[in-house]
């Protein structure tokens, strides 16, 4: 068994002139080496080879298509546009990799990559044809196909297919979480719209406008004191202050007090908390 030597440290006592202190002492130990993971080495080699081939394909296609477009436009624009041909199918491969656990979405990226690859190969072949070098054009076009094929093989090495039941479970979980994420900008947009509406109303009606006031309401009813709503405070309220305000306004029903607290102070106020403040307020009164 192969081993390797490493240095570790331990604390030991050391005495000088009858006084003992703890000092750090280095020592060496031999630990066994794990067996070489040839599968991982081969996997890394395949991935590296695919990356190299993709790089070669980009360089070749850019030079070939750039020279083709250079006939009608300036060189910077020609070679800049030439990069887009191989970049398109490379991006499709990246999307296919990210969606490897979502077969429908990965399938779309795969088909789009094939179309982008065919366009890039046709452009390279057209360059060779115009230069009266059909063989060179054909071989150059095959370079991109070889690079994409190598990357597809590398993806099969790294892919971990899921069974049908697990795939459905992943799809449902992803849909639920994506729905929650999608609601974040939706809620933000709704709040922004509401704020704009209230700002416009305040600008049109003056500084005394209250967004919680309904102009269609008549005066306070005298039949039941609990139906009378207390006036809105000028600033933010705590749960305790909201309970005190509701009781001072004549509310006696705990449910109505709770509704008022949730409207004016805390939308998530708990009934037990409101009841406790009601008892404290009655004791104090």
């Amino acid at each position: 068994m192969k081993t390797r030597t490493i240095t570790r440290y331990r604390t030991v006592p050391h005495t000088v002139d009858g006084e003992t202190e703890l000092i750090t002492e280095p020592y060496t130990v031999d630990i066994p080496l794990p067996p070489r993971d040839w599968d991982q080495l081969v996997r890394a080699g395949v991935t590296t080879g695919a990356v190299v081939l993709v790089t070669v394909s980009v360089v070749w296609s850019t030079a070939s298509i750039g020279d083709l477009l250079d006939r009608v436009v300036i060189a910077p624009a020609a070679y800049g546009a030439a990069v887009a041909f191989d970049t398109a199918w490379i991006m499709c491969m990246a999307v296919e990799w990210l969606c490897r656990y979502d077969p429908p979405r990965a399938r779309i990226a795969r088909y789009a990559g094939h179309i982008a690859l065919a366009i890039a190969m046709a452009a390279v072949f057209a360059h060779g044809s115009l230069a009266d070098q059909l063989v060179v054009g054909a071989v150059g076009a095959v370079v991109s196909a070889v690079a994409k094929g190598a990357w597809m093989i590398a993806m099969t090495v790294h892919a971990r297919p899921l069974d049908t039941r697990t795939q459905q479970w992943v799809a449902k979980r992803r849909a639920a979480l994506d729905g929650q994420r999608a609601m974040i900008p939706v809620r933000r947009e709704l709040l922004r719209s509401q704020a704009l509406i209230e700002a416009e109303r305040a600008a049109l009606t003056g500084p005394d406008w209250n967004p919680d006031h309904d102009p269609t309401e008549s005066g306070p009813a005298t039949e039941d004191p609990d139906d009378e709503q207390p006036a809105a405070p000028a600033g933010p309220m705590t749960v305790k202050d909201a309970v005190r305000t509701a009781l001072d306004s004549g509310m006696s029903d705990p449910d109505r007090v709770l509704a008022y607290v949730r409207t004016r102070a805390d939308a998530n106020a708990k009934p037990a908390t409101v009841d406790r403040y009601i008892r404290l307020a009655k004791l104090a009164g």
Side-chain angles (χ1 to χ4, degrees):
M1 178 183 296
K2 294 183 179 180
T3 61
R4 65 187 179 97
T5 302
I6 62 173
T7 301
R8 292 180 177 175
Y9 297 89
R10 58 190 173 191
T11 302
V12 297
H14 181 66
T15 303
V16 176
D17 294 335
E19 296 185 359
T20 303
E21 296 289 345
L22 296 177
I23 62 172
T24 302
E25 178 185 60
Y27 68 100
T28 59
V29 294
D30 294 331
I31 62 174
L33 287 175
R36 188 178 298 273
D37 189 352
W38 291 105
D39 290 345
Q40 180 61 29
L41 292 177
V42 172
R43 187 180 297 109
V46 170
T47 305
T48 303
V51 172
V52 171
L53 287 177
V54 169
T55 304
V56 172
S57 172
V58 171
V59 173
W60 175 265
S61 296
T62 301
S64 179
I65 302 175
D67 185 64
L68 174 66
L69 300 178
D70 191 24
R71 301 169 185 263
V72 293
V73 295
I74 59 176
Y79 286 93
V83 175
F85 283 82
D86 270 5
T87 303
W89 61 264
I90 292 173
M91 290 178 58
C92 290
M93 289 195 308
V95 174
E96 184 181 355
W97 166 265
L98 295 175
C99 299
R100 62 189 182 276
Y101 298 126
D102 193 347
R105 297 170 63 187
R107 191 178 303 111
I108 295 175
R110 187 181 308 113
Y111 290 157
H114 292 337
I115 295 174
L117 175 64
I119 295 174
M121 294 175 61
V124 174
F125 181 78
H127 174 258
S129 177
L130 291 178
D132 294 329
Q133 298 289 337
L134 295 179
V135 176
V136 175
V139 174
V142 173
V143 172
S144 296
V146 171
K148 181 172 176 58
W151 187 255
M152 291 175 62
I153 293 175
M155 288 188 62
T156 60
V157 172
H158 293 279
R160 296 293 183 270
L162 302 177
D163 62 89
T164 304
R165 296 171 64 89
T166 304
Q167 183 64 57
Q168 293 181 17
W169 184 90
V170 171
K172 289 182 177 296
R173 292 294 299 171
R174 180 182 288 115
L177 296 177
D178 288 347
Q180 295 179 18
R181 291 180 57 186
M183 288 304 298
I184 295 175
V186 171
R187 292 193 184 98
R188 187 183 298 117
E189 180 182 359
L190 294 177
L191 290 175
R192 187 182 296 112
S193 299
Q194 183 65 32
L196 290 174
I197 294 173
E198 294 179 358
E200 183 176 1
R201 287 180 179 174
L204 294 176
T205 57
D208 295 332
W209 175 76
N210 184 356
D212 294 326
H213 174 68
D214 186 357
T216 62
E217 292 181 355
S218 59
T222 58
E223 300 169 355
D224 187 356
D226 286 346
D227 291 337
E228 182 179 355
Q229 295 292 334
M237 302 178 65
T238 63
V239 174
K240 182 178 180 180
D241 292 339
V243 171
R244 171 61 67 181
T245 301
L247 294 177
D248 292 344
S249 300
M251 290 187 184
S252 59
D253 185 5
D255 292 336
R256 295 188 59 82
V257 175
L258 176 62
Y260 176 78
V261 170
R262 288 179 174 176
T263 301
R264 302 299 185 187
D266 185 359
N268 298 318
K270 296 181 179 180
T273 303
V274 174
D275 291 342
R276 184 172 69 255
Y277 282 130
I278 291 174
R279 291 195 300 270
L280 293 175
K282 290 181 178 180
L283 292 176

